Amino acid sequence: MMRIGLGCDLHRLVEGRPFILAGVRLPSAKGEMGHSDGDVLAHAVIDALLGAAALGDIGEFFPPDDPEWKDADSMKLLRQSWAKVKAAGWRLVNLDCCVICEVPKVLPHREVIRASLAAALEADPQKVFVKAKTGEGLGPIGEGLAVEAEAVCLLEKTNQTYE
Ligand code: MG
């Protein structure tokens, strides 16, 4: 059995915060506002994985009003989410992502971002891809006020479950 999962997220960009994508810090004057570290890409990927496995969503597992997740490393949340998905017997076929922001340029950092996601998911980097778009100057993303991430994953059920 195969299942598709979709995740999306958006964070405000503010001065004085680091700009983090999948645990990779990009040089930028502004970064994601958030209760956790604001890693918009990690959050979208978590929701894609949890959605494909019909296990829940990021807000249920890591509530934004819970002090435990204040300034949390979102890649840790991703690894925990993947462990739940894997324990339910799923393996990753592939993950495809899109990051939409005006600045900074994401493309020069694509390979390190892919590698970071692949490591968290214990997958070959060839199964993970990341693309970057701009908002063409339109709306909050185009005005540099926000960054958005979208992720789609395909999972395949194996016979193995453990817990
Ligand atoms: Mg988020």
Side-chain angles (χ1 to χ4, degrees):
M1 178 172 53
M2 304 266 226
R3 296 276 291 259
I4 290 173
L6 168 68
C8 61
D9 197 21
L10 180 139
H11 280 250
R12 278 178 200 271
L13 290 174
V14 293
E15 282 174 17
R17 293 274 298 184
F19 190 102
I20 301 173
L21 293 177
V24 179
R25 188 169 175 167
L26 275 59
S28 174
K30 289 181 175 178
E32 299 117 319
M33 201 167 95
H35 179 66
S36 66
D37 62 3
D39 188 333
V40 69
L41 180 55
H43 295 177
V45 171
I46 289 170
D47 264 350
L49 294 168
L50 292 175
L55 284 174
D57 66 51
I58 188 170
E60 290 176 63
F61 285 107
F62 314 106
D65 51 3
D66 186 337
E68 186 176 353
W69 312 119
K70 173 111 176 74
D71 297 322
D73 173 0
S74 295
M75 291 305 279
K76 192 175 154 194
L77 310 189
L78 175 56
R79 288 191 293 272
Q80 284 180 17
S81 302
W82 175 240
K84 290 179 200 295
V85 172
K86 202 172 64 162
W90 297 97
R91 73 168 192 91
L92 183 71
V93 177
N94 78 305
L95 169 73
D96 191 22
C97 310
C98 192
V99 177
I100 313 160
C101 62
E102 220 62 14
V103 284
K105 288 280 174 220
V106 175
L107 202 56
H109 308 279
R110 172 196 274 167
E111 295 313 311
V112 62
I113 293 168
R114 286 178 71 192
S116 178
L117 285 171
L121 302 176
E122 305 160 288
D124 187 317
Q126 288 301 318
K127 293 183 173 182
V128 176
F129 207 71
V130 177
K131 305 177 301 298
K133 316 278 288 180
T134 72
E136 293 276 343
L138 295 169
I141 293 174
E143 289 168 20
L145 300 174
V147 54
E148 186 178 335
E150 296 168 4
V152 174
C153 71
L154 187 65
L155 301 182
E156 185 175 31
K157 190 85 171 178
T158 65
N159 293 325
Q160 264 187 314
T161 55
Y162 36 108
E163 215 143 13

